[in-house]
Amino acid sequence: VIFDKPIIPKNISRRIKQNLYAKEHSFFAVVQPGFEIIAEKEFMKIVPSMSVSSRVRGGIEFSCSVDDIRNLNLLSRTATRFMMRVDSFRAIYFERFRERLSRIPWEIYISPSVKVSFSISCSESRLYHTGRLEEEAVSALSTSMNQTYPGWDGIAMTADEKASSQVILIRLDKDDCTVSIDTTGEPLYKRGYRTFVEKAPIRETFAASILLTAGMSDYDVLLDPMCGSGVFSLEAALMKKGEPAGIRRKFAFEKWPGFSAASFEYLKKTLSGDSAVRVPGPEIFASDIDEKAVVTAGKNFDESGVSDMINLSVKDFFTIARSGFERKKVLVVLNPPYGKRIVPDEILPFYKRIILQVANLKPECCAYILVPSKILKNTGISQSNVVLQCNNGGIALALIRI
Ligand SMILES: C[S@@+](CC[C@H](N)C(=O)[O-])C[C@H]1O[C@@H](n2cnc3c(N)ncnc32)[C@H](O)[C@@H]1O
């Protein structure tokens, strides 16, 4: 049976409208650990009517409509992913797990032409065999979908099918099972433009979270003096330009039954191009000591059409002088080398030197710096300078403000 051009029966269409689009649902946003508060603030700006029920490290639970989640996916610069909760129950036996899964009205959430895959994780639960859980889930979903679409065999099998599939996430935590549907697709730090990578780039969502935490738009100048591939400057420029974060990419919800491509295109049109809401922002200066990194950053700025908004140069951070910025409010953002990029004996003197250089740039400058947590004490930085604890590539970091 081929469901390439899905014909959704009228009664199902009606139920999709009523139960998927006309109601509020519970969602879970995956955000950069440590940046939950700034992410929540950003979400509230995009969807003022949403209600937040809880905040945990790395995530926010809230409710809103599917139209709102479409807007959040398109506009949020801080979130990594949004998942829609579809059911939660206690599961100690496979039979119960399978029975509860087969009761979910899958035909409301899944278009018959779309391939589906499962992402299953378990912790401290009696049901922990993810292979068996997946078999049960596949069987429950197939039985349920076949009642509406006889012959449906939409389980993703090949790597290609899996890569573009609708993911259903099942999490068992202390025997509590939560079933969610991914609304996002590829993680949101993939903005949809081609990126050229240098050593240890930070993710777009991470950079945007730091810029928002720092209150970027209150400054006259943004200095990104160890710019690497240029992610901070790029995110800052796109924010200034008012370009919706996800305007160049696709989302999982676009394949949901009843999704209106026309109204989404209209929304994107009203938010971009000449209609984009430009935000006042600082003049942006990106530089790096490494010429190759500067070339890469330049290519990234070209790719995303912001080259004319960023002053780019090869420069040693330690040669930057205060005199260039007198009477201006300057924000410095620094993601210096850490981890494998720098030998252990050099790391502490290097960070001490950075802190001294920032002190030289005062009082005009305010700097937000990522510092490896394990050397924080020895740098002499006071706890009162620590804005939050986060991590990058498995390394624990403190975001400090001096
Ligand atoms: C971890 S990377 C920064 C990654 C960047 N945030 C990104 O997203 O691509 C650190 C960068 O600091 C640069 N760097 C190291 N010492 C420097 C110095 N004295 N002046 C300027 N840049 C320096 C390195 O060349 C490297 O590109």
Side-chain angles (χ1 to χ4, degrees), residues 204-267:
E204 287 71 1
T205 43
F206 194 8
S209 299
I210 292 174
L211 292 168
L212 291 174
T213 301
M216 172 191 105
S217 46
D218 296 338
Y219 291 86
D220 305 317
V221 173
L222 173 71
L223 281 193
D224 177 11
M226 294 192 182
C227 71
S229 52
V231 183
F232 276 123
S233 298
L234 194 50
E235 283 296 308
L238 292 170
M239 276 192 239
K240 258 179 89 170
K241 210 173 161 188
E243 181 173 303
I247 196 93
R248 307 172 193 222
R249 52 163 285 156
K250 294 270 174 210
F251 302 96
F253 65 76
E254 293 182 56
K255 291 186 189 160
W256 286 11
F259 166 76
S260 166
S263 88
F264 192 44
E265 279 316 306
Y266 179 75
L267 173 75

Side-chain angles (χ1 to χ4, degrees), residues 47-324:
V47 180
S49 62
M50 76 185 232
S51 69
V52 175
S53 49
S54 70
R55 208 193 289 137
V56 293
R57 188 151 175 91
I60 299 164
E61 188 110 36
F62 59 94
S63 49
C64 65
S65 71
V66 169
D67 275 356
D68 295 332
I69 212 70
R70 175 192 69 175
N71 297 3
L72 282 166
N73 269 296
L74 179 64
L75 294 168
S76 170
R77 292 204 160 269
T78 63
T80 304
R81 172 176 307 289
F82 294 99
M83 302 185 285
M84 184 166 81
R85 303 297 201 201
V86 292
D87 204 0
S88 58
F89 49 88
R90 265 187 87 68
I92 296 166
Y93 302 107
F94 284 113
E95 293 70 26
R96 162 101 176 138
F97 172 78
R98 180 185 174 148
E99 190 255 328
R100 283 300 297 248
L101 276 188
S102 56
R103 270 206 252 154
I104 295 171
W106 292 109
E107 67 284 1
I108 289 178
Y109 308 115
I110 290 165
S111 173
S113 58
V114 165
K115 295 284 178 192
V116 179
S117 66
F118 289 92
S119 165
I120 303 181
S121 63
C122 309
S123 81
E124 296 176 55
S125 294
R126 269 167 273 193
L127 300 181
Y128 61 86
H129 188 310
T130 50
R132 170 83 192 272
L133 285 163
E134 182 163 350
E135 271 171 33
E136 298 290 350
V138 163
S139 161
L141 174 70
S142 301
T143 310
S144 159
M145 285 296 278
N146 264 281
Q147 284 169 9
T148 311
Y149 303 108
W152 182 86
D153 63 349
I155 302 297
M157 302 302 268
T158 63
D160 276 355
E161 284 176 355
K162 283 185 181 158
S164 62
S165 64
Q166 167 64 61
V167 179
I168 297 170
L169 304 111
I170 298 180
R171 171 153 181 74
L172 275 137
D173 185 21
K174 298 193 181 72
D175 299 329
D176 285 330
C177 180
T178 315
V179 183
S180 313
I181 293 189
D182 178 37
T183 78
T184 299
E186 280 203 302
L188 292 170
Y189 52 78
K190 299 207 170 165
R191 303 287 199 218
Y193 45 75
R194 199 154 57 111
T195 41
F196 301 92
V197 183
E198 269 303 312
K199 295 165 236 162
I202 67 170
R203 286 183 172 160
E204 287 71 1
T205 43
F206 194 8
S209 299
I210 292 174
L211 292 168
L212 291 174
T213 301
M216 172 191 105
S217 46
D218 296 338
Y219 291 86
D220 305 317
V221 173
L222 173 71
L223 281 193
D224 177 11
M226 294 192 182
C227 71
S229 52
V231 183
F232 276 123
S233 298
L234 194 50
E235 283 296 308
L238 292 170
M239 276 192 239
K240 258 179 89 170
K241 210 173 161 188
E243 181 173 303
I247 196 93
R248 307 172 193 222
R249 52 163 285 156
K250 294 270 174 210
F251 302 96
F253 65 76
E254 293 182 56
K255 291 186 189 160
W256 286 11
F259 166 76
S260 166
S263 88
F264 192 44
E265 279 316 306
Y266 179 75
L267 173 75
K268 289 201 276 190
K269 227 176 160 181
T270 58
L271 293 171
S272 58
D274 289 340
S275 328
V277 186
R278 282 158 216 274
V279 287
E283 205 182 335
I284 305 169
F285 292 84
S287 53
D288 200 288
I289 198 167
D290 179 358
E291 208 175 316
K292 207 173 127 272
V294 171
V295 171
T296 302
K299 279 204 251 175
N300 285 331
F301 301 158
D302 281 344
E303 263 315 299
S304 8
V306 293
S307 298
D308 57 339
M309 298 175 71
I310 301 169
N311 306 279
L312 178 63
S313 61
V314 178
K315 202 178 284 173
D316 180 349
F317 169 58
F318 300 109
T319 64
I320 295 178
R322 219 190 107 198
S323 51

